[in-house]
Amino acid sequence: MDPQSLFAEAQRALADSDWSKAGELLERLSKIDKKNARHLIGMGFCATRLGKLDAAREHLARAIKLSPMNPEAYVQLGHIENADMCANKAVDQFRRALMVKPHYPPAVSGLVNVLRKQGEYDESTAVLEKAYAKAKAPDAQLAEALATIAIRQGRQAEAIERLDETLACELSAPERSVLLYRLAELLNDAGKYIEAFDAVAEGAKLRRMTWDMPGYEAQLAEYFRVWTRESFESIEHSGNSSERPLFVLGVPRSGTSLVEQIIASHPQAAGVGELPATVRIAAQLQLQLGGSPSAFMSRPEFLRGPLLAEAAQKYLDSLYELAGKLGVDPNQERIVDKLPHAYAHLPLIRLMFPNARIVHVTRDPRDTAVSCFFQGFDGPLGYTFDLEKMARMIAHERAIVRHATEVLGIEVLSLRYEKLVAEPEKQIRGLLEHVGLPFHENCLVFHQTRRMVVTASTDQVRRPMYSGSVSRWRRFEGRLGPLHEGFRAAGFDPDRDA
């Protein structure tokens, strides 16, 4: 295939979010044209999306040697450091890009994003305003950056105007999709709920995300088959007695970030956000023990105490490493890991850490589904772009946790988001008692805690407790037919089974 065709195919793969294929094609191009930094920057982008951060850094270092005045390589390095939880390093890289090319929109957008997650809204606003003052035409990345801080800064009307202006321009499908999601958030805030929903629906179609529900359900059936009370109780625990890891899990957008923020506000606790170690360890064990790739670890018959002890230590090493990057004291009594999808690995968690506390956060399934649908997640969450599949995933999540508690006998505190909002002090006292910490007033004013928050709930956890998201789904009742159909297909009643 000639270089032009290779590049066109790589662009199609990028548009389809097929990072592996795009990276391979760009690598072939880089071998043909060894002095083209653009291909190396693209390889860095793909490697970052695949979680291969060290490889991405190598690609970008080579790109900078070839083209030191190209700001895009520094921007990509900024995104890598951000993904690797090194916020200060990310800020440095975005600032380097802006030194090379002042007011460069991708660098401005990246810098605003990191500053926002650090709670530095005034500085992020100043950076953005300078860039807008120099902009000669509507820019998708500047419009998105403004939208992310608009509600916090009271600039919703301005942000909507900027988004409408930019959406009227010629944009790529990914750019248009992102802006539609941002517009939907602002329209929803303005009470224009149906307009907001329709913007999300259009944005979701442009994302072209897929999810193999039949394949997932086949893996789930195998998980239920092999993890019996007998198989679980026959496995020797790791012997690791640490109580430091505290697992907060549930479907995304169910309130896990709020619970983490509450606990992390305690003087004897901290939070590290979503640590991917559990999922990574489960996948490694699955393959190491002769299983096929799966969303679950389904080879319990081969698990042994020494193997679990090694896995537990790997987890702790990852926990402490991430704590160090975030400036968190690794010696705190409890460190919260709020990776939502860790619910798929409850047996493994308990076998690795028999003394660790586990909190399962639930929320009205309809509100959870709508919130996920509005989020426009990056990463392997294709089901969140389809309400019918979202409903089935929520039903499966409840079944997985119920299996862990009722069949396997794993102790898990179930914490309902709506109850937490309605009676915060009572629920927070019960939460702290479960996790083995004395009550502390800081947990009631969690929104005042200054810490890096890197999940989709960055802005929400910096607000006092509010009930505005309870029964949110009713605003969109006329648009939720696929969601209700998904619940029916799964035999799940949102009122009875939630």
Side-chain angles (χ1 to χ4, degrees):
M1 189 180 296
D2 63 274
Q4 188 173 354
S5 299
L6 274 174
F7 184 74
E9 190 173 348
Q11 293 299 105
R12 286 192 292 271
L14 287 168
D16 291 337
S17 301
D18 189 344
W19 316 123
S20 181
K21 181 179 179 180
E24 290 173 3
L25 291 166
L26 289 167
E27 184 174 8
R28 288 169 61 185
L29 279 167
S30 72
K31 291 177 179 177
I32 296 171
D33 186 357
K34 296 181 180 180
K35 293 186 178 182
N36 192 325
R38 180 175 60 171
H39 302 326
L40 291 165
I41 291 171
M43 289 163 62
F45 173 82
C46 294
T48 302
R49 289 298 182 120
L50 292 168
K52 300 176 181 179
L53 302 188
D54 288 339
R57 287 186 178 97
E58 290 179 10
H59 297 321
L60 294 166
R62 290 169 57 199
I64 289 171
K65 281 187 177 181
L66 287 173
S67 183
M69 298 304 289
N70 186 334
E72 185 57 28
Y74 301 105
V75 169
Q76 292 301 328
L77 282 170
H79 289 308
I80 289 171
E81 299 301 349
N82 188 37
D84 206 19
M85 306 300 177
C86 299
N88 291 334
K89 290 183 179 180
V91 167
D92 289 343
Q93 293 296 344
F94 290 129
R95 292 197 190 283
R96 285 192 180 99
L98 291 171
M99 288 177 64
V100 170
K101 188 173 183 179
H103 316 301
Y104 182 51
V108 170
S109 176
L111 182 57
V112 167
N113 181 50
V114 179
L115 292 174
R116 176 178 68 92
K117 290 178 178 178
Q118 293 177 315
E120 302 294 342
Y121 290 94
D122 290 342
E123 186 178 356
S124 61
T125 299
V127 169
L128 187 56
E129 287 181 345
K130 289 178 182 178
Y132 259 123
K134 295 292 183 180
K136 297 179 180 179
D139 182 89
Q141 298 204 49
L142 295 183
E144 183 200 359
L146 175 59
T148 63
I149 62 173
I151 294 176
R152 177 78 181 211
Q153 300 294 80
R155 301 170 65 182
Q156 295 94 317
E158 177 191 354
I160 289 173
E161 183 180 348
R162 294 282 192 182
L163 286 168
D164 285 339
E165 177 185 52
T166 310
L167 283 164
C169 302
E170 186 175 343
L171 301 170
S172 68
E175 286 176 326
R176 186 170 297 278
S177 176
V178 168
L179 295 191
L180 284 166
Y181 275 100
R182 296 302 184 191
L183 178 62
E185 182 180 7
L186 296 169
L187 291 170
N188 181 75
D189 181 73
K192 299 178 179 180
Y193 302 125
I194 298 305
E195 290 179 48
F197 189 94
D198 291 345
V200 167
E202 184 182 348
K205 289 179 182 178
L206 291 170
R207 291 293 288 271
R208 293 188 288 183
M209 298 292 284
T210 59
W211 179 259
D212 180 12
M213 186 59 75
Y216 179 86
E217 290 175 339
Q219 294 171 11
L220 179 58
E222 177 68 4
Y223 170 82
F224 286 146
R225 186 186 71 80
V226 300
W227 282 106
T228 63
R229 175 68 74 104
E230 181 181 13
S231 67
F232 178 67
E233 292 185 343
S234 69
I235 302 170
E236 178 188 2
H237 288 176
S238 72
N240 193 305
S241 61
S242 177
E243 298 180 51
R244 186 161 289 139
L246 169 53
F247 297 88
V248 175
L249 43 85
V251 176
R253 306 298 294 165
S254 60
T256 53
S257 291
L258 173 60
V259 173
E260 180 202 19
Q261 180 78 353
I262 289 169
I263 298 171
S265 298
H266 196 286
Q268 296 170 247
V272 295
E274 299 176 3
L275 178 66
T278 300
V279 171
R280 183 173 64 246
I281 289 168
Q284 290 170 347
L285 284 172
Q286 173 77 353
L287 296 176
Q288 182 179 344
L289 298 175
S292 57
S294 173
F296 305 92
M297 213 303 290
S298 56
R299 306 289 284 174
E301 69 272 25
F302 296 113
L303 288 173
R304 298 290 183 270
L307 194 62
L308 289 163
E310 181 182 353
Q313 189 56 54
K314 284 181 180 178
Y315 177 90
L316 289 175
D317 291 344
S318 296
L319 182 69
Y320 298 147
E321 180 183 3
L322 181 53
K325 290 177 180 178
L326 295 175
V328 167
D329 181 2
N331 297 311
Q332 293 283 52
E333 290 293 315
R334 301 287 181 270
I335 300 179
V336 182
D337 170 4
K338 60 140 300 224
L339 184 70
H341 289 91
Y343 64 76
H345 305 295
L346 277 167
L348 182 61
I349 288 172
R350 179 53 73 226
L351 291 169
M352 289 194 299
F353 298 105
N355 297 324
R357 272 69 164 192
I358 303 171
V359 179
H360 176 223
V361 187
T362 63
R363 180 185 178 192
D364 186 307
R366 293 156 294 202
D367 282 337
T368 303
V370 166
S371 187
C372 283
F373 189 58
F374 266 71
Q375 190 59 49
F377 284 107
D378 286 328
L381 296 172
Y383 61 86
T384 62
F385 295 86
D386 183 309
L387 286 172
E388 189 269 339
K389 291 178 179 177
M390 185 74 229
R392 289 164 69 177
M393 283 297 293
I394 292 173
H396 294 328
E397 182 259 2
R398 296 294 197 274
I400 290 167
V401 177
R402 190 165 56 248
H403 182 84
T405 56
E406 297 177 6
V407 176
L408 305 184
I410 298 173
E411 182 183 2
V412 175
L413 174 69
S414 179
L415 183 61
R416 182 77 181 197
Y417 172 81
E418 289 81 3
K419 286 186 177 180
L420 180 59
V421 169
E423 45 186 23
E425 182 168 348
K426 178 181 177 180
Q427 296 298 320
I428 289 172
R429 284 182 180 275
L431 169 66
L432 294 175
E433 181 180 356
H434 173 76
V435 304
L437 293 173
F439 177 74
H440 198 283
E441 294 288 342
N442 284 3
C443 298
L444 294 176
V445 289
F446 59 87
H447 56 285
Q448 296 177 5
T449 301
R450 299 281 293 181
R451 53 183 288 265
M452 181 76 169
V453 180
V454 296
T455 65
S457 301
T458 295
D459 298 313
Q460 289 94 324
V461 300
R462 294 197 172 96
R463 296 168 56 185
M465 200 82 75
Y466 61 98
S467 59
S469 294
V470 175
S471 295
R472 179 190 179 196
W473 67 273
R474 295 187 184 280
R475 302 168 183 169
F476 314 103
E477 181 106 43
R479 296 287 198 275
L480 299 183
L483 180 67
H484 298 313
E485 180 55 38
F487 285 134
R488 282 193 293 271
F492 183 87
D493 183 335
D495 293 309
R496 183 196 66 212
D497 302 328

